[in-house]
Amino acid sequence: MPSDQPAPVKDPVTAVAHANIALIKYWGKRSAEKNLPAVGSVSLTLDALKTETTVRFLSDGDKDHLILDGRSAGTEQVQKVSKFTDLMAGSNRPPVFIESHNNFPTGAGLASSASGFAALAKALNKACSLDLDDQTLSVFARQGSGSAARSIFGGFAEMKLGSDNSGDGDYAHQLYDENYWDIRLLVAVVSQAPKKIGSTEGMNRTAKTSPFYNAWIESSPNDIRNIKSALAERDFQKLGELSEHSAMKMHGLAISAHPSILYWQAGTMESIRKVWGLRKRGIPAYITMDAGSQVKVITLPEHCSIIKEALTELPGVTDVIEAKPGPGAHLITDTE
Ligand code: 2P0
């Protein structure tokens, strides 16, 4: 630990953070070094998808350990987490033992890095007695994974862009908490396999090769403004249309990269067509998708069961998860 920071405690600290789904998507970086997004984004934190992470600083040994879902993580993942721990705890820190568990498939487009780094930031904050506020934690979480900045907060969050490249202005903040509006998100699980092209690689390739990248950047502020007004008015149709359009725009952009980035599987198309069919029949349901093949459906509580039933029947869909607005990252105490 740097001498100006308090020594880490040796007792384990456990934090939980929930995945979030971007209603207005982040895709592209304006700087890789501090992981600065090229566009703002607006998200919904989800109660049903969560990561629980326990951090324990070790009094001896010389390397960090990371256990992910019960297994020792690969070198690349350990390095990423070590670098993040250095960032928060200082590079003279003792080795750390981190155990993390997701209640959903890792790396399959269900935002495991978002909940993962948000939980780790929250746990390290306590384990190192840093006492940082959520905005500062969000700045740290962003450096682990852009979407993680939003998972620090519950309910609806906005990721803001800084006016310079220091990184201090690139943080998320809460727009409304998890009790503001009871909308639902159904996840049609199409594949549990990790995606072949990670988000970072996908974003970099898109920025370098898509002829539409500048148009994507230019159209973003308007999308953010409009979704914030849909949220303020609790206008579900407006929220759904804007969210679906942002996801389609992002996937169209990724497809326009060279070589093309196509996250969809057969079950993805089946699910999209099914939801569009339901909407034609008057059911308020809108699609969103991330860097993976899963289709997420934004709807209202009273329409969940009919949509769930329709998606479950599809041959390409293995499971349907229902989520509602969830809480921000928090510590688990003995009393929970
Ligand atoms: C989002 N995604 O806004 C977008 C939509 C995926 C598609 O943020 O490179 O893992 O670590 O900052 O946060 C996933 O990308 O990317 C993501 P990095 P991250 O949710």
PDB file of all heavy atoms in Angstrom, residues 22 25-27 29 35 113 145-147 150 199-200 203 250 290-291, ligand 1:
ATOM      1  N   ALA A  22     -27.970  -1.898 -20.855  1.00  0.00           N
ATOM      2  CA  ALA A  22     -28.007  -0.538 -21.394  1.00  0.00           C
ATOM      3  C   ALA A  22     -29.253  -0.374 -22.262  1.00  0.00           C
ATOM      4  O   ALA A  22     -29.522  -1.191 -23.141  1.00  0.00           O
ATOM      5  CB  ALA A  22     -26.753  -0.265 -22.206  1.00  0.00           C
ATOM      6  N   LYS A  25     -27.050   2.321 -25.701  1.00  0.00           N
ATOM      7  CA  LYS A  25     -25.831   1.511 -25.624  1.00  0.00           C
ATOM      8  C   LYS A  25     -24.521   2.293 -25.680  1.00  0.00           C
ATOM      9  O   LYS A  25     -24.435   3.310 -26.373  1.00  0.00           O
ATOM     10  CB  LYS A  25     -25.789   0.505 -26.785  1.00  0.00           C
ATOM     11  CG  LYS A  25     -26.971  -0.414 -26.892  1.00  0.00           C
ATOM     12  CD  LYS A  25     -27.032  -1.420 -25.772  1.00  0.00           C
ATOM     13  CE  LYS A  25     -28.203  -2.371 -25.937  1.00  0.00           C
ATOM     14  NZ  LYS A  25     -28.420  -3.183 -24.722  1.00  0.00           N
ATOM     15  N   TYR A  26     -23.553   1.729 -24.976  1.00  0.00           N
ATOM     16  CA  TYR A  26     -22.152   2.165 -25.067  1.00  0.00           C
ATOM     17  C   TYR A  26     -21.461   1.242 -26.068  1.00  0.00           C
ATOM     18  O   TYR A  26     -21.521   0.022 -25.934  1.00  0.00           O
ATOM     19  CB  TYR A  26     -21.553   2.052 -23.664  1.00  0.00           C
ATOM     20  CG  TYR A  26     -20.086   1.718 -23.525  1.00  0.00           C
ATOM     21  CD1 TYR A  26     -19.104   2.434 -24.205  1.00  0.00           C
ATOM     22  CD2 TYR A  26     -19.685   0.700 -22.657  1.00  0.00           C
ATOM     23  CE1 TYR A  26     -17.751   2.132 -24.028  1.00  0.00           C
ATOM     24  CE2 TYR A  26     -18.339   0.394 -22.472  1.00  0.00           C
ATOM     25  CZ  TYR A  26     -17.381   1.105 -23.164  1.00  0.00           C
ATOM     26  OH  TYR A  26     -16.062   0.801 -22.980  1.00  0.00           O
ATOM     27  N   TRP A  27     -20.843   1.787 -27.065  1.00  0.00           N
ATOM     28  CA  TRP A  27     -20.035   0.976 -28.000  1.00  0.00           C
ATOM     29  C   TRP A  27     -18.977   1.900 -28.587  1.00  0.00           C
ATOM     30  O   TRP A  27     -19.299   2.802 -29.348  1.00  0.00           O
ATOM     31  CB  TRP A  27     -20.922   0.368 -29.103  1.00  0.00           C
ATOM     32  CG  TRP A  27     -20.242  -0.772 -29.828  1.00  0.00           C
ATOM     33  CD1 TRP A  27     -19.723  -0.739 -31.092  1.00  0.00           C
ATOM     34  CD2 TRP A  27     -20.030  -2.105 -29.349  1.00  0.00           C
ATOM     35  NE1 TRP A  27     -19.185  -1.964 -31.418  1.00  0.00           N
ATOM     36  CE2 TRP A  27     -19.357  -2.830 -30.356  1.00  0.00           C
ATOM     37  CE3 TRP A  27     -20.314  -2.768 -28.150  1.00  0.00           C
ATOM     38  CZ2 TRP A  27     -18.995  -4.164 -30.211  1.00  0.00           C
ATOM     39  CZ3 TRP A  27     -19.947  -4.102 -28.015  1.00  0.00           C
ATOM     40  CH2 TRP A  27     -19.302  -4.778 -29.032  1.00  0.00           C
ATOM     41  N   LYS A  29     -14.660   3.518 -27.744  1.00  0.00           N
ATOM     42  CA  LYS A  29     -13.884   4.217 -26.709  1.00  0.00           C
ATOM     43  C   LYS A  29     -13.214   5.444 -27.313  1.00  0.00           C
ATOM     44  O   LYS A  29     -12.725   5.372 -28.439  1.00  0.00           O
ATOM     45  CB  LYS A  29     -12.790   3.294 -26.171  1.00  0.00           C
ATOM     46  CG  LYS A  29     -13.335   2.026 -25.528  1.00  0.00           C
ATOM     47  CD  LYS A  29     -12.191   1.090 -25.167  1.00  0.00           C
ATOM     48  CE  LYS A  29     -12.694  -0.311 -24.858  1.00  0.00           C
ATOM     49  NZ  LYS A  29     -13.422  -0.455 -23.624  1.00  0.00           N
ATOM     50  N   ASN A  35      -9.803   3.754 -20.403  1.00  0.00           N
ATOM     51  CA  ASN A  35     -11.099   3.177 -20.774  1.00  0.00           C
ATOM     52  C   ASN A  35     -12.205   4.242 -20.767  1.00  0.00           C
ATOM     53  O   ASN A  35     -13.198   4.137 -20.042  1.00  0.00           O
ATOM     54  CB  ASN A  35     -11.458   2.005 -19.848  1.00  0.00           C
ATOM     55  CG  ASN A  35     -12.449   1.066 -20.517  1.00  0.00           C
ATOM     56  OD1 ASN A  35     -12.485   0.964 -21.742  1.00  0.00           O
ATOM     57  ND2 ASN A  35     -13.277   0.409 -19.724  1.00  0.00           N
ATOM     58  N   SER A 113     -18.991  -8.687 -16.686  1.00  0.00           N
ATOM     59  CA  SER A 113     -17.894  -7.791 -16.303  1.00  0.00           C
ATOM     60  C   SER A 113     -18.441  -6.550 -15.598  1.00  0.00           C
ATOM     61  O   SER A 113     -17.763  -5.965 -14.764  1.00  0.00           O
ATOM     62  CB  SER A 113     -17.025  -7.405 -17.505  1.00  0.00           C
ATOM     63  OG  SER A 113     -17.770  -6.700 -18.453  1.00  0.00           O
ATOM     64  N   SER A 145     -14.175  -2.075 -16.437  1.00  0.00           N
ATOM     65  CA  SER A 145     -15.071  -2.345 -17.558  1.00  0.00           C
ATOM     66  C   SER A 145     -16.056  -1.185 -17.646  1.00  0.00           C
ATOM     67  O   SER A 145     -16.640  -0.806 -16.624  1.00  0.00           O
ATOM     68  CB  SER A 145     -15.802  -3.662 -17.270  1.00  0.00           C
ATOM     69  OG  SER A 145     -16.503  -4.088 -18.394  1.00  0.00           O
ATOM     70  N   GLY A 146     -16.212  -0.646 -18.851  1.00  0.00           N
ATOM     71  CA  GLY A 146     -17.032   0.560 -19.002  1.00  0.00           C
ATOM     72  C   GLY A 146     -18.411   0.428 -18.392  1.00  0.00           C
ATOM     73  O   GLY A 146     -18.883   1.314 -17.661  1.00  0.00           O
ATOM     74  N   SER A 147     -19.065  -0.707 -18.649  1.00  0.00           N
ATOM     75  CA  SER A 147     -20.435  -0.885 -18.172  1.00  0.00           C
ATOM     76  C   SER A 147     -20.492  -1.044 -16.646  1.00  0.00           C
ATOM     77  O   SER A 147     -21.557  -0.862 -16.048  1.00  0.00           O
ATOM     78  CB  SER A 147     -21.068  -2.087 -18.861  1.00  0.00           C
ATOM     79  OG  SER A 147     -20.219  -3.202 -18.757  1.00  0.00           O
ATOM     80  N   ARG A 150     -21.834   1.766 -14.336  1.00  0.00           N
ATOM     81  CA  ARG A 150     -23.285   1.918 -14.137  1.00  0.00           C
ATOM     82  C   ARG A 150     -23.814   0.974 -13.062  1.00  0.00           C
ATOM     83  O   ARG A 150     -24.826   1.263 -12.429  1.00  0.00           O
ATOM     84  CB  ARG A 150     -24.010   1.680 -15.465  1.00  0.00           C
ATOM     85  CG  ARG A 150     -23.554   2.623 -16.600  1.00  0.00           C
ATOM     86  CD  ARG A 150     -24.355   2.396 -17.878  1.00  0.00           C
ATOM     87  NE  ARG A 150     -24.424   1.002 -18.251  1.00  0.00           N
ATOM     88  CZ  ARG A 150     -24.082   0.497 -19.448  1.00  0.00           C
ATOM     89  NH1 ARG A 150     -23.658   1.296 -20.424  1.00  0.00           N
ATOM     90  NH2 ARG A 150     -24.205  -0.783 -19.693  1.00  0.00           N
ATOM     91  N   SER A 199     -16.197  -7.592 -25.928  1.00  0.00           N
ATOM     92  CA  SER A 199     -16.692  -6.233 -26.201  1.00  0.00           C
ATOM     93  C   SER A 199     -15.549  -5.284 -26.577  1.00  0.00           C
ATOM     94  O   SER A 199     -15.665  -4.506 -27.517  1.00  0.00           O
ATOM     95  CB  SER A 199     -17.390  -5.664 -24.978  1.00  0.00           C
ATOM     96  OG  SER A 199     -18.455  -6.475 -24.621  1.00  0.00           O
ATOM     97  N   THR A 200     -14.441  -5.343 -25.828  1.00  0.00           N
ATOM     98  CA  THR A 200     -13.343  -4.402 -26.070  1.00  0.00           C
ATOM     99  C   THR A 200     -12.809  -4.580 -27.494  1.00  0.00           C
ATOM    100  O   THR A 200     -12.664  -3.602 -28.243  1.00  0.00           O
ATOM    101  CB  THR A 200     -12.210  -4.640 -25.043  1.00  0.00           C
ATOM    102  OG1 THR A 200     -12.789  -4.599 -23.740  1.00  0.00           O
ATOM    103  CG2 THR A 200     -11.130  -3.594 -25.156  1.00  0.00           C
ATOM    104  N   MET A 203     -15.417  -3.389 -30.014  1.00  0.00           N
ATOM    105  CA  MET A 203     -15.497  -1.919 -30.102  1.00  0.00           C
ATOM    106  C   MET A 203     -14.315  -1.361 -30.893  1.00  0.00           C
ATOM    107  O   MET A 203     -14.484  -0.473 -31.726  1.00  0.00           O
ATOM    108  CB  MET A 203     -15.455  -1.307 -28.700  1.00  0.00           C
ATOM    109  CG  MET A 203     -16.705  -1.525 -27.898  1.00  0.00           C
ATOM    110  SD  MET A 203     -16.566  -0.641 -26.331  1.00  0.00           S
ATOM    111  CE  MET A 203     -17.717  -1.586 -25.354  1.00  0.00           C
ATOM    112  N   MET A 250     -26.573  -0.383 -32.678  1.00  0.00           N
ATOM    113  CA  MET A 250     -25.280  -0.904 -32.222  1.00  0.00           C
ATOM    114  C   MET A 250     -24.908  -2.189 -32.956  1.00  0.00           C
ATOM    115  O   MET A 250     -23.769  -2.376 -33.393  1.00  0.00           O
ATOM    116  CB  MET A 250     -25.335  -1.158 -30.718  1.00  0.00           C
ATOM    117  CG  MET A 250     -24.017  -1.540 -30.112  1.00  0.00           C
ATOM    118  SD  MET A 250     -24.217  -2.567 -28.643  1.00  0.00           S
ATOM    119  CE  MET A 250     -23.884  -4.184 -29.317  1.00  0.00           C
ATOM    120  N   ASP A 290     -27.037  -7.265 -26.288  1.00  0.00           N
ATOM    121  CA  ASP A 290     -25.688  -6.769 -26.025  1.00  0.00           C
ATOM    122  C   ASP A 290     -24.672  -7.563 -26.826  1.00  0.00           C
ATOM    123  O   ASP A 290     -25.027  -8.156 -27.819  1.00  0.00           O
ATOM    124  CB  ASP A 290     -25.451  -6.787 -24.517  1.00  0.00           C
ATOM    125  CG  ASP A 290     -26.395  -5.790 -23.874  1.00  0.00           C
ATOM    126  OD1 ASP A 290     -26.181  -4.600 -24.062  1.00  0.00           O
ATOM    127  OD2 ASP A 290     -27.390  -6.217 -23.252  1.00  0.00           O
ATOM    128  N   ALA A 291     -23.432  -7.577 -26.361  1.00  0.00           N
ATOM    129  CA  ALA A 291     -22.401  -8.264 -27.129  1.00  0.00           C
ATOM    130  C   ALA A 291     -22.505  -9.767 -26.877  1.00  0.00           C
ATOM    131  O   ALA A 291     -21.675 -10.370 -26.218  1.00  0.00           O
ATOM    132  CB  ALA A 291     -21.035  -7.732 -26.736  1.00  0.00           C
TER     133      ALA A 291
HETATM  134  C1  2P0 B   1     -23.420  -1.560 -22.922  1.00  0.00           C
HETATM  135  N1  2P0 B   1     -21.867  -3.260 -23.795  1.00  0.00           N
HETATM  136  O1  2P0 B   1     -23.678  -0.344 -22.967  1.00  0.00           O
HETATM  137  C2  2P0 B   1     -22.708  -2.147 -24.127  1.00  0.00           C
HETATM  138  C3  2P0 B   1     -23.676  -2.654 -25.134  1.00  0.00           C
HETATM  139  C4  2P0 B   1     -22.118  -4.389 -24.631  1.00  0.00           C
HETATM  140  C5  2P0 B   1     -23.062  -3.922 -25.653  1.00  0.00           C
HETATM  141  O2  2P0 B   1     -20.772  -2.169 -22.233  1.00  0.00           O
HETATM  142  O3  2P0 B   1     -14.342  -2.688 -23.017  1.00  0.00           O
HETATM  143  O4  2P0 B   1     -17.527  -5.065 -21.009  1.00  0.00           O
HETATM  144  O5  2P0 B   1     -14.726  -3.474 -20.683  1.00  0.00           O
HETATM  145  O6  2P0 B   1     -15.361  -1.159 -21.354  1.00  0.00           O
HETATM  146  O7  2P0 B   1     -18.261  -2.726 -20.455  1.00  0.00           O
HETATM  147  C6  2P0 B   1     -19.973  -4.289 -22.664  1.00  0.00           C
HETATM  148  O8  2P0 B   1     -18.750  -3.751 -22.714  1.00  0.00           O
HETATM  149  O9  2P0 B   1     -16.581  -3.106 -22.271  1.00  0.00           O
HETATM  150  C7  2P0 B   1     -20.896  -3.167 -22.897  1.00  0.00           C
HETATM  151  P1  2P0 B   1     -15.192  -2.568 -21.795  1.00  0.00           P
HETATM  152  P2  2P0 B   1     -17.784  -3.670 -21.462  1.00  0.00           P
HETATM  153  O10 2P0 B   1     -23.773  -2.280 -21.964  1.00  0.00           O
END
